[in-house]
């Protein structure tokens, strides 16, 4: 490939709105261009990397028996209504010219279940693994960070179809093995973590996370064992707080005290001996408010509370709080709630025992010594954030919370979609049974961006060998070097390497800078040393180390370097 015939619009400066490092460098190095909010074109360099990621994925999913297919992105809305997912706010909805309701799909569980209903008849037809790699659409409310959070993206989604839970477990295990190989081959650092099933539903899920400051997810990792979980699922042992028991309730006037910090300071106690009340309004049809209570030094986790309630929710307004409790915000608690004021009280399990300071439901007053079971009733659930530095529940080690990019996910869907779509089969006894499904996603663009985030330096991108748009970048200096570069390109291509020859009429310094920015792992310079010493110069992008080679030795040596870099 010749740079003079290749679309490679490198830039000196990153876009002003690019905050994530991968966003800055992928635009500067000519890999992608934005055409709208969350909408990107992959230019030739970027598409070459994307295709390399796809190829790794295909090889590993094929290896476990996956069958690749292609399905429409445009779906009849009725299919999504049958599974109860039509109301998802991120789903693009539209109508055609005759008024039929349609959606632009962000995932394909409904279509897989539909095809299973048509094609699967007997237990002898199972198990199956079907997959595709194609464009998906999502009405993303906050497109940001370049290709990490977009409205249109390419996903690999695979689906297992099995007879029963044991078969689903086996298909899930196969994908765990395949995902481990995919991410190791890609060269990125990653963790497999426990996660929430979210809108997918089902009985279990894991996410594959790549550490990066640009990551929107937070993952708890233990330094003493292999425990790893998204903070949406993470549990931890907090610092101890000796909350007394058996003391009588005591009302205390607390004028002007409306925060936990002010309350603890006013009473001269640890914040951990207080209880924080949060009032929310669930977004369902049952009505009423829910009171959630966590220890004063803890944070309520919004998604954990959503799971506990069984519905999304919003914060109650001051007016709604006063109407329900008869007191101002800041003086609300679980003791002495007026009859019918709340739908439910949910307390975090860390305050299940002991007496805590709570709001008295009387403005500017609190109660000392409130104990669950004696003074008030509530449902106990895990609704708090696990925090950095807390102890692991499994080994007692220390947890650290790191930002990470979700690069893949796996879900045990069970029979949620097959039951809704009528995907049934006859078992050995001739009885109808629903197909057991699993769903397994990978975002190739997120692997691409994660590699940039993890390995870039102050000069530009540093690609892992397996993902690089080219294996070797040749910079010929001087007219006499052009013929040698042509010969070397042919020799390297003959041993299976992808080669870019930067034959642009630019200074060596500019071409070297672009090579560093683009990040191809191996750069060859053909210059004066070929005429004087019979050698060319090789520079390793990742380490900056250099060495000299003869033209004759270069093909075998570079082939060996590439093979070594891609071994895992």
């Amino acid at each position: 490939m010749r740079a003079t015939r290749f679309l490679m619009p490198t830039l000196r400066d990153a876009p002003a709105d690019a905050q994530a490092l991968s966003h800055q460098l992928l635009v500067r190095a000519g890999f992608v261009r934005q055409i709208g909010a969350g909408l990107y074109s992959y230019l030739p360099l970027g598409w070459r990397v994307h295709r390399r990621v796809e190829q790794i994925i295909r090889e590993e999913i094929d290896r476990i028996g996956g069958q690749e297919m292609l399905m429409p992105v445009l779906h009849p809305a009725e299919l999504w209504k049958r599974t109860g997912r039509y109301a998802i706010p991120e789903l693009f909805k539209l109508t055609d010219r005759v008024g039929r309701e349609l959606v632009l799909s962000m995932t394909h569980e409904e279509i897989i279940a539909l095809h299973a209903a048509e094609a699967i008849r007997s237990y002898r037809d199972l198990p199956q693994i079907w997959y595709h790699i194609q464009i998906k659409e999502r009405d993303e409310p906050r497109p940001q960070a370049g290709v990490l959070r977009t409205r249109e993206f390419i996903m690999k989604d695979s689906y297992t179809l099995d007879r029963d839970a044991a078969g689903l477990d086996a298909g899930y295990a196969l994908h765990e093995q395949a995902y481990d190989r995919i991410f190791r081959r890609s060269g990125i650092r990653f963790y497999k973590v426990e996660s929430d099933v979210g809108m997918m539903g089902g009985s279990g899920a894991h996410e594959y996370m790549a550490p990066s400051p640009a990551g929107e997810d937070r993952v708890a990792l233990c330094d003493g064992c292999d425990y790893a979980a998204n903070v949406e699922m993470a549990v931890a042992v907090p610092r101890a707080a000796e909350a007394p028991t058996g003391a009588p309730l005591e009302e205390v006037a607390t004028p002007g005290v409306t925060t936990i910090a002010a309350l603890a300071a006013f009473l001269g106690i640890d914040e951990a001996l207080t209880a924080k009340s949060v009032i929310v309004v669930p977004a369902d049809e049952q009505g009423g408010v829910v009171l959630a209570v966590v220890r004063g030094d803890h944070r309520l986790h919004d998604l954990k509370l959503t799971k506990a309630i069984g519905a999304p929710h919003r914060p109650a307004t001051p007016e709604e709080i006063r109407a329900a409790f008869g007191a101002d915000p800041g003086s609300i608690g679980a003791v002495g709630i007026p009859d019918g004021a709340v739908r439910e009280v949910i307390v975090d399990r860390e305050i299940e025992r002991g007496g805590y300071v709570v709001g008295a439901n009387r403005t500017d007053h609190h109660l000392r010594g409130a104990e669950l079971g004696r003074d008030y009733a509530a449902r106990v659930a895990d609704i708090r954030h696990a925090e950095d530095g807390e102890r692991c529940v499994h080994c007692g080690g220390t947890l650290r919370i790191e930002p990470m990019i979700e690069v893949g996910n796996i879900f045990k869907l069970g029979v949620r979609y097959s039951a809704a779509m009528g995907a049934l089969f006859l078992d050995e006894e001739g009885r109808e049974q629903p197909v057991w499904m699993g769903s397994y996603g990978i975002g190739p663009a997120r692997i691409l961006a994660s590699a940039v985030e993890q390995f870039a330096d102050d000069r530009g991108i540093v690609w892992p060998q397996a993902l690089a748009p080219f294996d070797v970048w040749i910079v010929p200096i001087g007219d006499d070097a052009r013929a040698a570069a042509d010969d070397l390109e042919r020799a390297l291509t003959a041993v299976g390497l992808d080669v870019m020859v930067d034959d642009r009429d630019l200074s060596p310094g500019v071409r070297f800078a672009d090579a560093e920015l683009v990040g191809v792992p191996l750069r060859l310079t053909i210059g004066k040393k070929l005429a004087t010493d019979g050698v060319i110069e090789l520079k390793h992008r990742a380490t900056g180390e250099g060495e000299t080679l003869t033209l004759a030795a270069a093909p075998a040596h570079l082939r060996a370097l590439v093979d070594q870099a891609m071994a895992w």
Side-chain angles (χ1 to χ4, degrees), residues 279-281 288-291 316-327 332 336-343 361:
I279 302 92
V280 300
V281 180
V289 300
V290 170
L291 172 61
T317 65
E319 292 73 23
E320 288 170 326
I321 293 171
R322 293 187 190 97
F325 293 89
I332 305 304
I337 300 173
D339 290 342
V342 301
R343 189 164 100 190
N361 295 321

Side-chain angles (χ1 to χ4, degrees), residues 534-558:
V535 296
I536 59 177
E537 297 174 87
L538 169 62
K539 183 175 181 180
H540 297 259
R541 176 67 181 88
T543 65
E545 296 176 354
E547 57 182 300
T548 56
L549 301 169
T550 65
L551 284 172
H557 184 64
L558 269 64

Side-chain angles (χ1 to χ4, degrees), residues 301-313 383:
H301 195 289
D302 188 71
L303 182 58
K304 287 184 177 181
L305 181 59
T306 295
K307 291 171 61 180
I309 295 173
H313 53 83
I383 56 173

Side-chain angles (χ1 to χ4, degrees), residues 21 25 451-463 541:
L21 181 62
L25 290 177
V452 177
E453 292 283 343
Q454 291 181 350
F455 304 119
D457 59 21
D458 58 1
R459 298 183 302 279
I461 300 171
V462 184
W463 289 111
R541 176 67 181 88

Side-chain angles (χ1 to χ4, degrees), residues 68-103:
E68 187 170 6
M69 57 200 297
L70 184 68
M71 292 173 280
V73 177
L74 188 65
H75 298 177
E78 185 271 334
L79 301 180
W80 286 70
K81 291 179 179 179
R82 285 169 65 179
T83 61
R85 296 206 297 174
Y86 184 70
I88 294 173
E90 292 80 14
L91 188 66
F92 277 109
K93 304 174 179 72
L94 63 154
T95 56
D96 65 13
R97 67 181 64 193
V98 297
R100 286 182 291 245
E101 292 181 314
L102 303 165
V103 303

Side-chain angles (χ1 to χ4, degrees), residues 385-429:
H385 267 276
E387 301 289 357
D388 196 80
E390 293 183 335
R391 290 188 292 115
C392 175
V393 297
H394 300 286
C395 75
T398 301
L399 295 182
R400 69 183 188 277
I401 310 296
E402 287 192 22
M404 298 199 188
I405 297 167
E406 181 187 344
V407 291
N409 48 54
I410 54 180
F411 297 91
K412 291 183 179 180
L413 301 176
V415 299
R416 173 185 174 184
Y417 296 91
S418 53
M421 302 300 295
L424 308 173
F425 70 96
L426 296 179
D427 65 15
E428 291 90 335
E429 281 75 40

Side-chain angles (χ1 to χ4, degrees), residues 12 32 48 89 107 147 169 172 233 260 289 292:
R12 183 181 300 273
V32 300
R48 289 178 74 90
T107 184
V147 299
D169 289 344
Y172 197 86
M233 298 286 288
I260 292 296
V289 300

